[in-house]
Amino acid sequence: MVLSKTASETDVSIHSTFASRYVRNSLPRFKMPENSIPKEAAFQIINDELMLDGNPRLNLASFVTTWMEPECNKLIMDAINKNYVDMDEYPVTTELQNRCVNMIAHLFNAPLGESEAAVGVGTVGSSEAIMLAGLAFKRKWQNKRKAEGKPYDKPNIVTGANVQVCWEKFARYFEVELKEVKLREGYYVMDPAKAVELVDENTICVAAILGSTLNGEFEDVKLLNDLLVEKNKETGWDTPIHVDAASGGFIAPFLYPELEWDFRLPLVKSINVSGHKYGLVYAGIGWVIWRSKDDLPEELIFHINYLGADQPTFTLNFSKGSSQVIAQYYQLIRLGHEGYKNVMENCHENAMVLKEGLEKTGRFNFVSKDDGVPLVAFSLKDNKRHDEFEISEMLRRYGWIVPAYTMPADAQHITVLRVVIREDFSRTLAERLVLDIQKVVHELDALPAKLNARLATEKQEQVKNGTVKKTAIETQREITAYWKKYVTERKSNNKTQIC
Amino acid sequence: MLAATNATEEHVHSTFASRYVRAPVPRFKMPEKSIPKDAAYQVIHDELMLDGNPRLNLASFVTTWMEPECDKLMMAAINKNYVDMDEYPVTTELQNRCVNMIANLFHAPVGEEETAVGVGTVGSSEAIMLAGLAFKRRWQHKRKTEGKPTDNPNIVTGANVQVCWEKFARYFEVELKEVKLKEGYYVMDPEQAVELVDENTICVAAILGSTLTGEFEDVKTLNDLLMKKNEETGWGTPIHVDAASGGFIAPFLYPDLEWDFRLPLVKSINVSGHKYGLVYAGVGWVVWRNKEDLPDDLVFHINYLGSDQPTFTLNFSKGSSQIIAQYYQFLRLGFEGYKNIIENCMENMKVLKQGIQNTGRFNILSKDIGVPLVAFSLKDSSKHTVFEIAENLRRFGWILPAYTMPANAQHVAVLRAVIREDFSHGLAKRLVAHIEQVLKEMDGLPSRLQHKKTERETQEEVFRYWKRLVDRKRAGVC
């Protein structure tokens, strides 16, 4: 707010932003600059650098919402200076959170009375939600084992190898062993029978995923529940289930209401969902709901008083913005059940349009199912000459960001491209994407094959997981340099459209 | 989305004439139908009018005002998911630049063009948990190589720690060894802290800017005493500095104060970008001295967003706005700008403190050196308490918290006013005037603490007390 006191101060404010000396200097990258600069210059400089970021709405890698109505943007901006944790100072905002928790709990058929408050909390995302749920399970299990006089130093959790990285983080940071059910070609989710086999007396819970990150599939939670109920009867261990519904939690109740995956199944004790995925809110909000008070040990809840009144807190994060909580409530009452259903149906239809367009090319296999999260995951039928990573890179030229990645163990030889259909991905965009993919495939056909591709595939089968990733990327880089030459030549020859 | 036949009528109605504002707001179940966006906006906006005014919330250190240019940048970035590093490389680089700048500010031993080791977080809570995790893991590795047990880690702090240290201890199963406070001394005593250190101590946590009184702990003395002990024991116990508030004050106002990486035992520091970093709620920073202090097995590499991405945070998806805002502030203000702002805060703090002292009714617990806040208690609490003062001030719109100190000074109750960038000289004067008014009113009222009440009297009194509190809240806010 204080301008430099040099004699040229008047000159500075008269200059047009791009004529001022501030945009002539290189930007500070390692040390804070000594002097202040005018706010217009600061804004312009940063705004211009950010132009080189990808366009969020063309980022087809992400499930996270990239568009909201202007009215909601207004509410978000108004609340940007409200620190959510000041519950005593902002009681209405706190109540909006509680209402969201109630609504989501009811959506998941939690066993609640008509006006009973649900047990749950808003978080910064599903990562925090999962860590809180995992903590609750770990503590409950420890208390149970202590009461039985048995050792409690080796907790473990059973999941599929398709879990999102935050489960691995939870396991590593909170010192719980991760027992993963491996995938296999053609079956990319957790097999319930195998999962139940892995359960032992040290298992704090089994985590099922509703909407696998890799191909959008819903895991069969009902089957898992039934098998686990049987095992619990034999062993008496009472192992519970957690459903990671980060993506699926706001899809299944609207598109597949008959599908039993939530609290209707007796062993499901907690569920997490991302408000910022199909909850249709910008990045920064998730929810975790417990079946009942008993499933959340009281000793994990803290009470503080130095903000002025007694405040219970059970989250990892303390201070954070209030905007996303308010935005979630806006969406829930603005759209209602009918609105969400319409949005999800639209997404599903656009996913089908994309899938059919790709099917017509005859060059792809589909790894995603029709039911599940609206996304299309596909791989090349023949990837010996050109692989999915090349397609992904070439699509960038048109502005599309479509990720390509390898599946986890034991299907690492499969590479897929994945397009996530969000609310703001219209049918027109779907058709355009199909056209652009067709163009890319044609271009690649005209180019000679890579000799390195086969070598890379063979290497992968012999080496451990961590090193595999590095090799693929090094190979990628070599290939990119090689093809850049060809692409530049073609560019100068044709009048092909770019971006 | 409306299928009703009177859809045109809906659009014609003024917002407050439509049927949506006549219906009760949904509180337990999602409504079946959609409603128009203006109705949704208005309904929510109106309810939120009854929240406190963030700028009059003197309880909080967290920033409540930023320049309009920065607001523009934040709104433009609101749909960027920060974790998509591959898709938003510039945003990722802005974070790295901030980390470098903060590390340099804290005199981290990095070369001229060397990248620092650190990360942006959602707040100091996450930052502290990450730092604590790093200490715990390093200690476990060390013990395992020595063939010693690793099941009883502990951490030494003062009883004045912010709640997130207690959370860290409870969630990550580390014992919390607290140095108790005493009346007149409200921070951690370095000598007592070093006494508590044993072979299971993963680190000693010092606070630069205690939440309760704003005081800076003497990190240098702690460092010197701990170095001596380490020489004797060979345990190599490190220090973490929780500079959540003080990290953006000390370098500008007290550059000669040695509290950061200039002290050899300090291995990591956290600071809240959203306190005196002058950014809205939602950003914190943690910086490590160098790579060795951050164990590699805590860092994850993922590939399903399209290319290799290292990640070491508790949160995954989150907004990018606050990171961009932090870089804006660094660029816009620079060293001189931050210095000017913090100096202003100190001046206004002195104005407030002087006004409060002039009433002759209060003791001041906060020091002049530290975070710009005023913590004060009543000289005589036998008739009326600070809690009553806090309640009465709400009528004027001020939110001033009153709370008791932790063990062993629980009998001391204080009021605390935090001076932020947007708390001007004029507002300070006005607050003093209101405090004086409240004191005068209270003097005229009978005390609640005098005679022993019957059960029924107590019940009635409690009921009246709470009713007044709730009523006043509605009248006093926004």
Side-chain angles (χ1 to χ4, degrees), chain A residues 20-302:
Chain A
S20 78
R21 57 182 156 90
Y22 300 109
V23 295
R24 262 183 273 158
N25 296 336
S26 63
L27 278 189
R29 286 189 298 141
F30 293 96
K31 286 210 179 124
M32 231 163 140
E34 261 307 307
N35 295 340
S36 314
I37 67 176
K39 34 195 188 133
E40 299 78 16
F43 169 80
Q44 202 61 50
I45 292 170
I46 297 179
N47 182 61
D48 293 354
E49 268 211 287
L50 288 173
M51 289 196 305
L52 291 168
D53 264 348
N55 178 350
R57 295 196 49 198
L58 295 181
N59 175 8
L60 304 180
S62 177
F63 295 84
V64 175
T65 298
T66 47
W67 179 88
M68 292 191 84
E69 289 176 329
E71 281 73 7
C72 192
N73 287 341
K74 249 203 292 186
L75 281 174
I76 287 177
M77 219 40 221
D78 287 341
I80 202 118
N81 64 353
K82 271 194 199 164
N83 182 1
Y84 175 75
V85 80
D86 290 343
M87 294 183 218
D88 194 49
E89 286 76 13
Y90 311 124
V92 179
T93 306
T94 306
E95 204 193 312
L96 294 190
Q97 187 225 221
N98 295 340
R99 289 183 200 170
C100 289
V101 168
N102 290 336
M103 292 186 187
I104 295 173
H106 270 107
L107 198 64
F108 297 163
N109 298 292
L112 293 167
E114 266 302 303
S115 301
E116 193 184 332
V119 184
V121 75
T123 63
V124 164
S126 275
S127 290
E128 186 185 357
I130 280 167
M131 290 185 190
L132 294 178
L135 252 183
F137 280 124
K138 186 181 181 197
R139 195 53 60 92
K140 274 205 89 179
W141 173 83
Q142 282 173 334
N143 291 343
K144 187 180 75 160
R145 297 282 285 181
K146 270 188 216 165
E148 290 171 1
K150 295 192 184 151
Y152 51 91
D153 55 332
K154 286 199 143 36
N156 69 56
I157 190 169
V158 174
T159 70
N162 57 329
V163 278
Q164 207 254 12
V165 68
C166 77
W167 284 101
E168 296 171 47
K169 276 189 189 179
F170 167 72
R172 205 179 288 183
Y173 296 168
F174 291 88
E175 285 152 17
V176 174
E177 185 196 342
L178 198 65
K179 291 176 98 172
E180 285 188 341
V181 177
K182 299 270 175 274
L183 315 179
R184 54 179 187 279
E185 185 166 347
Y187 194 85
Y188 301 113
V189 290
M190 178 173 79
D191 185 337
K194 289 206 185 132
V196 173
E197 253 173 83
L198 284 181
V199 167
D200 60 31
E201 54 173 343
N202 290 317
T203 304
I204 65 174
C205 84
V206 181
I209 304 182
L210 198 76
S212 169
T213 318
L214 303 170
N215 65 352
E217 208 176 321
F218 288 170
E219 287 183 359
D220 193 343
V221 191
K222 185 165 195 339
L223 181 58
L224 175 66
N225 179 81
D226 296 342
L227 292 173
L228 196 51
V229 166
E230 268 176 50
K231 180 154 183 175
N232 281 344
K233 269 202 215 122
E234 297 166 13
T235 60
W237 292 333
D238 209 18
T239 316
I241 295 177
H242 174 88
V243 182
D244 175 1
S247 314
F250 272 110
I251 297 173
F254 304 111
L255 289 188
Y256 315 109
E258 305 305 320
L259 180 70
E260 280 183 41
W261 63 273
D262 51 17
F263 292 120
R264 282 169 285 181
L265 302 169
L267 285 184
V268 173
K269 303 297 183 194
S270 51
I271 302 177
N272 69 283
V273 64
S274 282
H276 54 223
K277 292 182 182 130
Y278 291 92
L280 306 177
V281 181
Y282 294 127
I285 179 136
W287 303 94
V288 55
I289 313 278
W290 283 274
R291 190 187 197 86
S292 65
K293 285 196 90 185
D294 303 317
D295 296 299
L296 178 55
E298 183 62 36
E299 71 223 54
L300 290 175
I301 302 178
F302 281 85

Side-chain angles (χ1 to χ4, degrees), chain A residues 421-437:
Chain A
I421 312 294
R422 295 189 297 274
E423 175 189 9
D424 56 349
F425 187 79
S426 62
R427 188 183 168 124
T428 338
L429 288 176
E431 288 168 350
R432 195 168 268 280
L433 177 60
V434 172
L435 281 174
D436 288 344
I437 290 179

Side-chain angles (χ1 to χ4, degrees), chain A residues 27-29 49, chain B residues 93-101 327:
Chain A
L27 278 189
R29 286 189 298 141
E49 268 211 287
Chain B
E93 204 192 312
L94 293 189
Q95 187 223 219
N96 295 341
R97 289 183 201 171
C98 289
V99 168
N100 290 336
M101 292 186 186
Y327 187 70

